[in-house]
Amino acid sequence: RIFATGSSVEVTSFADGLRGSWYGGSVVESPTARGAVRVRYTGSNTEEEEVSASRLRPQPPEVSLSEWRALACADTALELYFQQGWWDVVVAEVKKTCIAVVAPEYAKRHTVPPSKLRPRWSFDPASRHEPSGGWSLSVGGTSYALAAWREQAAALAAEANAAAEAERAAAAAASRPPEPLSA
């Protein structure tokens, strides 16, 4: 069983006003007498609910902001932490200190610091025993399993660091006084 009692999970809803959102919880009973899973939500809403396993996924992989920030460009699918849950959004614009995103389901735009965002992960229960743990994400139309994505993110971060270092070196060289001409 993927969702054993005590497992940390996220729960989605198909109800109007909640589509495209994921809320944290833990499994209280699995399976119930009706074959469902009983979860207790985390946060300020600690109610319990019996749900179909199709509405659950394990907690997504923890990734640092520095791992995914370089991948955040226009049209990238992310999740926004809003109203105690994670909501599907798409990047509209990347600014220096914030990112503008749109929730396609609701046509709502939010401009937030990157700390309120995370990659939009997809979970495939059939692949949970693979090195990716069943997790993947899509960036720029390309789907990456977890390990491949981490390699891509590291390569992009290294490129960004090299470009920043080259800019600093050029700025330092431009600010030095010219060498005196010797006779």
Side-chain angles (χ1 to χ4, degrees), residues 56-93:
L56 299 176
R57 68 180 183 189
Q59 287 286 335
E62 293 273 335
V63 294
S64 68
L65 179 60
S66 62
E67 279 186 281
W68 69 262
R69 179 69 166 90
L71 300 176
C73 57
D75 299 323
T76 299
L78 298 175
E79 292 179 348
L80 165 67
Y81 189 74
F82 180 71
Q83 296 179 340
Q84 298 183 29
W86 291 97
W87 294 75
D88 290 347
V89 294
V90 175
V91 174
E93 181 182 4

Side-chain angles (χ1 to χ4, degrees), residues 12-21 23 49 55 87 105-106:
T12 193
S13 176
F14 303 115
D16 286 342
L18 292 174
R19 274 190 303 274
S21 66
Y23 286 85
E49 180 180 17
R55 290 183 43 206
W87 294 75
E105 181 76 29
Y106 305 100

